[in-house]
């Protein structure tokens, strides 16, 4: 089995140059190669980085859900450890089953990897951001996930400041920043769109639906 | 007993201006999300859910019913025009629809899909209207052990049919069960992993979870994309819309063509209705079963896949029949038949109605108004589908850069507005992140959503049955009904294991042949 793994790792550069057909490892760069929701097919011109660090990164990436489940179930298990059986047995049973399915997946994944086939956690291409063409390394990873990560972070900040600054104030800033981040940058388009959104949301919430929006120091 | 009084009262509720307006509005919204690949009725329904709090129970449910029926049909349009199913259910429609479009008969294909959807929806709802009362009476007789097995069965089926991996489906479902258990214990009232949040004490608030998992997750997925649809395909779609006269001619031809296959319409609708009644089976599976059955019984199966009219009818009639079928477990047991049906249950919670076997007794007229709403929506698919064909072709050109910020804002405000709770808004975003992580790793979120509902049902009923059993496990197998359900459960599990083993074998075969080549 070890010999096969060696062979596979030796094949890695060739595989990535030929495209995704026999890509053995988990990184998106290899797994998506030619068809990734991107409109134009791309071919990799550089060699994807390898080495222990990248193996760890790829493994963590492939097992993202597994990690989330482990952390969550671990914390859950500890927090209910003091409770009597009547209260805690049901969640404990669910945790044991959940860990069973997760372990099964990890083992199946390891077996597949040892055989040199693709990782278990392969995903529909449509759902993933397009892969930057011909570039590898952390800058390419950032380039790929930048918009999603920033959208998430900005939304968290939006939620965090709204109780203090109020709905209309924070929302105007929030949608301006997000519009710009996601590609609506021409001021003549951007600002009228923001203004229209604000007016429509005021009409919708305050006038039609009667939704109570958080008030801020200036408006509301 | 068919409760004609309730049906008539439901008719009264439906034929109010407000209810009809929201039905049409929902249908239009359903058309829009159905056409957009990646969106589903569940996404749109989750988004409008918090804002429907000001409406009456039946009007908000009728709105959801409109979205549901509209999305079920409209998924066929991109499937036919460009082989991209707008909803999972339309995948089987593409098999014959797309070849027809390639042969220059896109209008006829859409016309057939429209008529078949309409007929399938009407037939299935008429049957559901007649049987749901008696079935509800039957469900009223369910005790704790029966409800426990039903919940267990529902979860297994959902995990099995959603997505392509039973394991991933089960991980998603079990995660949902565990999240639903983050509450006070139903026995001892001690909080379990609530982290001090009072908002979790009852159980996880369902509506913010829905908004997060369906709407926010979708926006995170959309954020990095430049277009909703390949612009070339979008242009092709708008080119495909002829003038009004052509539309009418096409409508007429679509109707006539569909009516030429009454047996197929009837059989496909029956398959859709029956499979829709099983919680979680969903249209994706049912449509392919209906398609396969029609192909198998055809005198000339070789025409299938090359633009056979029967193929479109088989898929689309079944598609909208499933919609009616999913209402059966949703209304009689409080177990959602699909993602959109789960959102409808969310609307019930929001209006303080506890879904379950009693809901048809306590809220009979409202429930029948919703079923009748689905019936009217199915009929309205014909005229509205034609009127909206051209505007729909424009809507798909909306860019994610505009759509994403606005929808995210609506999600946050919506989750907050339900009960002016920042905890709820934060929870929606947290569920959005969780859903995103699951989706990019190929884990379906629908099992998790349904498990959030089924979890408390399963736990409470298990505990009650356990108390009734006096520690005697045989109690759980002690009635014919419960035995029947256990057998369904074990058949499902066995079928899944068999399927997995078979897939593993064929996987290995491809690997071997692949490496040989």
């Amino acid at each position: 089995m070890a010999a096969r793994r060696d062979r596979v790792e030796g094949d890695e550069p060739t595989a990535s140059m030929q495209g995704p057909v026999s890509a053995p490892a988990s990184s998106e760069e290899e797994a998506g190669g030619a068809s990734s929701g991107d409109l134009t097919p791309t071919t990799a011109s550089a060699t994807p980085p390898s080495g222990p660090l990248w193996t760890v990164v790829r493994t963590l990436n492939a097992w993202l859900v597994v990690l989330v489940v482990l952390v969550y179930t671990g914390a859950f298990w500890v927090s209910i450890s003091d409770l009597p059986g009547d209260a805690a047995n049901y969640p404990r049973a669910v945790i044991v089953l959940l860990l069973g399915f997760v372990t099964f997946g990890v083992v199946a994944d390891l077996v597949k990897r040892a055989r040199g086939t693709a990782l278990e956690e392969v995903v529909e291409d449509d759902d993933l951001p397009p892969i930057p063409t011909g570039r590898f390394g952390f800058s390419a990873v950032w380039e790929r996930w930048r918009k999603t990560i920033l959208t998430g972070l900005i939304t968290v900040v939006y939620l965090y400041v709204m109780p203090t600054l109020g709905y209309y104030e924070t929302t105007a800033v929030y949608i301006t920043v997000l519009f710009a981040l996601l590609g609506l940058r021409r001021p003549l388009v951007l600002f009228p769109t923001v203004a229209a959104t604000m007016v429509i949301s005021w009409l919708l919430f305050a006038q039609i639906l009667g939704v109570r929006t958080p008030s801020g120091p200036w408006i509301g | 007993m068919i409760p004609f009084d309730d049906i008539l009262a439901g008719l009264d509720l439906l034929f109010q201006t407000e209810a009809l307006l929201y039905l049409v509005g929902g249908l239009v919204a359903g058309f829009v999300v159905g056409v957009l690949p990646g969106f589903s009725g569940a996404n749109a329904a989750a988004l409008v859910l918090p804002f429907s709090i000001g409406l009456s129970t039946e009007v908000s449910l009728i709105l959801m019913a409109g979205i549901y029926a509209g999305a079920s049909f409209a998924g066929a349009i991109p499937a036919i025009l460009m082989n991209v199913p707008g909803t999972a259910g339309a995948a089987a429609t593409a098999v014959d629809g797309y070849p027809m479009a390639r042969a220059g008969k896109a209008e006829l294909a859409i016309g057939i899909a429209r008529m078949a959807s309409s007929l399938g929806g009407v037939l299935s709802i008429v049957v559901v209207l007649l049987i749901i009362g008696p079935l509800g009476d039957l469900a009223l007789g369910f005790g704790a052990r029966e409800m426990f097995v039903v919940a267990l069965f529902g979860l297994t089926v959902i995990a099995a049919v959603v997505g392509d991996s039973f394991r991933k489906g089960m991980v998603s479902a079990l995660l949902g069960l565990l999240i639903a258990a983050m509450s006070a214990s139903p026995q001892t009232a001690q909080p379990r992993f609530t982290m001090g949040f009072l908002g979790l004490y009852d159980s996880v608030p369902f509506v913010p979870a829905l908004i997060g998992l369906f709407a926010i997750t979708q926006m995170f997925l959309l954020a990095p994309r430049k277009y909703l649809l390949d612009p070339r395909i979008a242009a092709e779609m708008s080119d495909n819309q002829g003038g009004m006269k052509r539309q009418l001619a096409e409508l007429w031809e679509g109707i006539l063509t569909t009516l030429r296959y009454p047996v197929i319409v009837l059989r496909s609708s029956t398959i859709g209705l029956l499979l829709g009644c099983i919680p979680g089976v969903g249209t994706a599976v049912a449509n392919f079963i209906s398609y396969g059955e029609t192909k198998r019984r055809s005198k000339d199966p070789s025409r299938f896949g090359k633009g056979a009219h029967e193929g479109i009818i088989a898929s689309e009639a079944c598609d909208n029949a499933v919609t009616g079928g999913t209402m059966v477990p949703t209304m009689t047991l409080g177990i959602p038949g699909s993602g959109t049906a789960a959102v409808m249950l969310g609307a019930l919670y929001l209006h303080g109605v506890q879904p379950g076997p009693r809901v048809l007794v306590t809220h009979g007229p409202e429930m029948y108004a919703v079923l009748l709403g689905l019936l009217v929506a199915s009929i309205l698919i014909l005229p509205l589908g034609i009127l909206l064909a051209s505007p729909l072709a424009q809507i798909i050109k909306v860019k994610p850069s505009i759509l994403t910020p606005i929808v995210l804002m609506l999600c946050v405000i919506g989750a907050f507005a339900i009960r002016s709770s920042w905890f709820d808004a934060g929870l929606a975003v947290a569920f959005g992140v969780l859903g995103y992580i699951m989706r990019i790793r190929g884990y379906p979120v629908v099992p998790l959503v349904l498990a959030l509902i089924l979890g408390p049902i399963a736990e409470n009923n298990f505990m009650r049955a356990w108390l009734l059993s006096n520690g005697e496990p045989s109690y759980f197998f002690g009635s014919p009904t419960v035995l029947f359900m256990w057998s369904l459960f074990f058949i499902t599990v066995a079928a899944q294991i068999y399927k997995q083993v078979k897939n593993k074998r064929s996987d290995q075969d491809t690997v071997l042949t692949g490496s040989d080549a």
Side-chain angles (χ1 to χ4, degrees):
Chain A
M1 206 166 258
R4 288 202 63 159
R5 184 195 278 258
D6 288 341
R7 184 186 66 77
V8 166
E9 276 169 6
D11 284 353
E12 218 168 29
T14 337
S16 65
M17 271 183 263
Q18 286 169 344
V21 185
S22 55
S26 64
S27 83
E28 292 86 26
E29 287 94 315
E30 293 156 340
S35 64
S36 62
D38 212 348
L39 299 181
T40 46
T42 58
T43 35
S45 57
T47 313
S50 52
L53 177 64
W54 277 96
T55 310
V56 172
V57 168
R58 278 171 197 150
T59 308
L60 291 183
N61 176 33
W63 290 351
L64 206 55
V65 172
V66 173
L67 280 177
V68 170
V69 168
L70 286 181
V71 171
Y72 177 65
T73 50
F76 206 127
W77 190 277
V78 171
S79 90
I80 57 171
S81 56
D82 296 339
L83 295 183
D86 274 353
N89 279 347
Y90 168 74
R92 275 185 199 134
V94 176
I95 289 174
V96 168
L97 274 174
L98 188 52
L99 290 179
F101 276 101
V102 165
T103 315
F104 176 73
V106 170
V107 170
D109 191 33
L110 288 174
V111 170
K112 275 195 180 178
R113 269 213 239 191
R115 287 199 183 126
T117 51
L119 274 183
E120 172 76 5
E121 319 275 322
V122 179
V123 182
E124 289 168 57
D125 288 334
D126 273 3
D127 281 347
L128 294 175
I131 296 152
T133 317
R135 294 200 290 122
F136 293 104
F138 281 107
S139 75
V141 172
W142 172 243
E143 170 73 25
R144 188 175 184 207
W145 298 99
R146 183 176 60 97
K147 283 186 177 174
T148 314
I149 293 171
L150 287 179
T151 302
L153 287 178
I154 293 169
T155 307
V156 171
V157 173
Y158 172 55
L159 189 63
Y160 190 73
V161 298
M162 208 191 324
T164 332
L165 292 183
Y167 165 75
Y168 290 99
E169 293 88 336
T170 33
T171 301
V173 178
Y174 173 70
I175 55 173
T176 312
V177 173
L178 263 197
F179 279 146
L181 170 73
L182 300 183
L184 200 72
R185 301 231 168 84
R186 289 213 311 269
L188 279 180
V189 185
L190 174 62
F191 291 110
T193 314
V194 172
T197 311
M198 294 312 296
V199 170
I200 293 172
S201 82
W202 173 77
L203 280 176
L204 198 67
F205 295 155
Q207 304 301 311
I208 302 174
L209 293 172
V211 173
R212 280 173 54 117
T213 48
S215 56
W218 303 290
I219 311 171
Chain B
M1 263 301 286
I2 302 165
F4 287 106
D5 289 352
D6 281 352
I7 297 180
L8 285 177
L11 214 56
D12 246 11
L13 288 174
L14 176 64
F15 283 95
Q16 310 280 338
T17 323
E18 193 196 12
L20 286 178
L21 274 177
Y22 275 99
L23 180 69
V24 172
L27 199 55
V28 173
F31 281 162
V32 173
V33 291
V35 166
L36 297 175
F39 280 81
S40 65
N43 299 138
L47 188 61
V48 300
L49 181 55
F51 303 108
S52 71
I53 194 165
L55 306 173
S56 61
T57 313
E58 71 275 7
V59 173
S60 67
L61 284 170
I62 285 169
L63 173 67
M64 313 270 155
I67 294 175
Y68 200 0
S72 287
F73 153 68
I77 297 176
I80 289 169
L81 290 180
M82 58 220 192
N83 209 11
V84 180
T87 52
T93 312
V95 180
D96 276 296
Y98 186 60
M100 270 187 82
R102 291 274 97 180
K105 288 185 191 157
E107 291 87 353
L108 177 61
I110 295 175
I112 293 174
R114 205 152 31 201
M115 183 63 184
S117 290
S118 200
L119 279 180
V122 170
L123 283 173
S124 133
I125 285 291
V126 167
V127 177
V128 169
L129 272 173
L130 296 178
I131 61 168
I132 200 163
L135 283 178
D137 293 344
L138 205 68
L140 274 176
F142 278 18
R145 56 186 172 188
E146 283 87 2
M147 283 304 284
F148 166 68
V149 187
V150 167
L152 208 61
F153 173 64
L155 271 177
T156 324
V157 177
I158 292 153
V161 299
V162 179
D164 36 32
S165 155
F166 179 58
R167 183 182 62 78
K168 285 182 174 176
M170 276 315 284
V171 169
S172 172
L174 287 165
L175 201 56
L177 285 185
L178 198 56
I179 293 171
M182 284 171 91
S183 64
S185 151
Q187 275 69 49
T188 65
Q190 286 157 306
R192 299 182 295 205
F193 199 34
T194 57
M195 296 177 277
F197 289 117
L198 275 179
L200 285 176
Y201 199 79
D202 254 351
S203 70
V204 174
F206 186 55
V207 180
L210 280 176
I211 296 172
L213 289 166
F214 282 137
I216 297 182
T217 294
Q218 193 62 44
M219 289 307 116
F220 286 160
L221 288 168
L222 214 55
R225 304 227 312 242
K226 272 209 178 69
Y227 304 99
L228 282 177
L229 268 183
D230 187 331
R232 284 169 305 183
I233 293 172
E236 199 175 311
M237 271 185 83
S238 22
D239 289 348
N240 261 306
Q241 309 300 333
M244 200 60 185
K245 217 170 172 183
R246 192 166 157 205
Q247 296 268 337
L248 282 176
E250 160 219 317
L251 164 76
W252 190 237
E253 208 185 336
I255 292 176
L256 289 183
T257 313
T258 311
L259 289 178
R260 241 174 269 147
Y261 304 98
V263 181
I264 295 175
V265 171
L266 210 60
R267 188 171 55 223
S268 308
S269 305
T270 312
I271 292 176
L273 173 65
L274 290 177
L275 292 179
C277 289
I278 304 171
V281 166
T283 49
V285 185
N287 289 9
F288 274 107
I289 292 176
S290 165
Y291 183 89
E293 190 59 21
T294 306
K295 183 176 173 183
R296 196 174 66 80
R297 285 170 181 263
S298 165
K299 287 192 192 97
D300 183 11
S302 65
R303 289 188 304 112
F304 281 75
K306 294 172 191 157
H309 300 164
E310 300 97 306
I312 300 179
I313 298 173
S315 170
E316 279 303 308
C318 174
D319 196 5
N320 279 52
V322 168
T323 310
T326 54
M327 289 297 113
V328 172
T330 310
M331 288 184 177
T332 56
L333 296 168
I335 288 178
S338 67
T340 317
V343 183
M344 292 174 90
L345 285 186
L348 283 180
Y349 287 123
L350 202 58
H351 287 90
V353 180
Q354 183 63 40
R358 293 202 58 79
V359 89
L360 274 173
V361 181
T362 55
H363 293 78
E366 285 93 336
M367 295 302 117
Y368 281 101
V370 175
L371 291 176
L372 290 163
L374 267 177
L375 182 75
V376 174
S378 298
I379 297 169
L380 285 178
I381 284 175
L382 278 179
L384 274 180
I386 294 165
L387 270 178
L388 291 172
S390 310
L392 276 181
Q394 298 304 314
I395 281 165
I396 52 171
K397 291 179 186 163
V398 173
K399 288 193 175 162
S401 57
I402 294 191
L403 198 63
T404 310
I406 295 177
V407 173
L408 274 175
M409 180 266 280
L410 287 175
C411 290
V412 172
I413 286 301
F416 166 80
I418 306 161
R419 41 181 195 185
S420 297
S421 155
W422 292 111
F423 174 73
D424 283 2
L427 198 69
V429 174
F431 270 107
V433 174
L434 173 68
Y436 181 75
I437 291 174
M438 288 172 65
R439 287 281 298 274
I440 60 170
R441 287 285 145 261
Y443 287 80
V445 296
V446 174
L448 196 159
V449 171
L450 302 205
L452 287 181
I453 292 183
L454 291 175
I457 296 179
E459 184 184 4
N460 292 335
N461 284 299
F462 175 79
M463 286 302 174
R464 271 168 49 203
W466 183 251
L467 289 177
L468 287 170
S469 72
N470 290 322
E472 187 59 58
S474 65
Y475 176 78
F476 283 88
F477 301 88
S479 83
T481 327
V482 83
L483 273 178
F484 174 69
M485 285 167 180
W486 275 118
S487 52
L488 283 181
F489 170 75
F490 284 115
I491 289 169
T492 316
V493 173
Q496 278 313 308
I497 294 170
Y498 173 73
K499 207 175 93 187
Q500 294 283 310
V501 172
K502 219 173 105 189
N503 284 352
K504 279 261 154 57
R505 291 238 173 89
S506 62
D507 269 7
Q508 281 174 9
D509 288 350
T510 33
V511 169
L512 288 176
T513 45
S515 58
D516 285 343

